[in-house]
Amino acid sequence: MIAKISGKLIKKEENSIILEVQGLCYEILIPGSVMARIDDHKDAQENIRLITYHYIHNDPSRAVPMLVGFLNEIEKDFFLEFIKVSGIGPRAAVKALSKSISEIVGAIDRGDINFLKTLPGIGLQRAKEIIAKLQGKVARFGLIQDKIRVAVASVKAIADFQEEVLSVLLQLQYKRQEALSMIQAALERSPGLQTAEELLNEIYKQRIKKHD
């Protein structure tokens, strides 16, 4: 299985790129939410590093190995949750994820069927299935940032579940001190929180309120 790939970006299509790696060229499917930011992650030589999901696409005559590319593990994790919805395979998910993950997660959390219906290939019934399957389970992905942020500063030891939340927020590209402040504020609002999922949900709810 191919878990990561690095190479020179030589061509971009609507939902895929061609990446040259040591003389070999790989076609990699890229969700629109990732494609919109991919140029920001190239170096001066047009090289880019991607986290990949490797799967086999079966059709009546052959089995074809496919790669889907992401800029970080959090994007991949959301993709893996999204394809758990009945009827949404990897190729359909690549097309459907045309808007930012945070927007899509917000719509799932609100039960916003009309927004989800605007995603390519998602009709009324599929939108309902997405909400039924994922609502209340993907809040942490709503915290994702579009730009890379560098984690700095050291902190005192905190509880294991808080460490887990801190790790998630850093992967979501929040600054370390910002993430710690978010955790502390959430615990002050709801001191009874005992799990990482509860803490992430509380942080997410407060972020949504700030933008209402």
Side-chain angles (χ1 to χ4, degrees), residues 156-175:
K156 62 183 180 180
I158 55 177
D160 288 345
F161 80 93
Q162 295 175 47
E163 288 280 10
E164 182 180 345
V165 170
L166 176 60
S167 176
V168 169
L169 292 174
L170 293 179
Q171 290 181 64
L172 290 168
Q173 301 170 0
Y174 287 89
K175 292 181 180 178

Side-chain angles (χ1 to χ4, degrees), residues 114-150:
N114 289 331
F115 178 92
L116 294 175
K117 283 168 55 183
T118 67
L119 302 177
I122 303 299
L124 175 61
Q125 185 56 41
R126 195 72 70 222
K128 290 180 178 178
E129 291 172 357
I130 290 170
I131 291 169
K133 179 70 174 180
L134 300 180
Q135 192 173 47
K137 299 178 182 177
V138 292
R140 67 188 183 277
F141 299 109
L143 297 166
I144 196 166
Q145 298 280 291
D146 287 339
K147 300 295 182 181
I148 291 179
R149 299 187 177 209
V150 180

Side-chain angles (χ1 to χ4, degrees), residues 186-197:
L187 291 171
E188 288 175 355
R189 288 189 302 269
S190 303
L193 299 175
Q194 296 183 349
T195 68
E197 191 71 24

Side-chain angles (χ1 to χ4, degrees), residues 9-18 27-28 30 35:
L9 177 59
I10 61 173
K11 187 177 181 181
K12 287 170 56 178
E13 301 288 352
E14 183 179 0
N15 290 121
S16 67
I17 63 170
I18 301 297
E27 181 180 18
I28 304 172
I30 306 289
M35 187 74 80

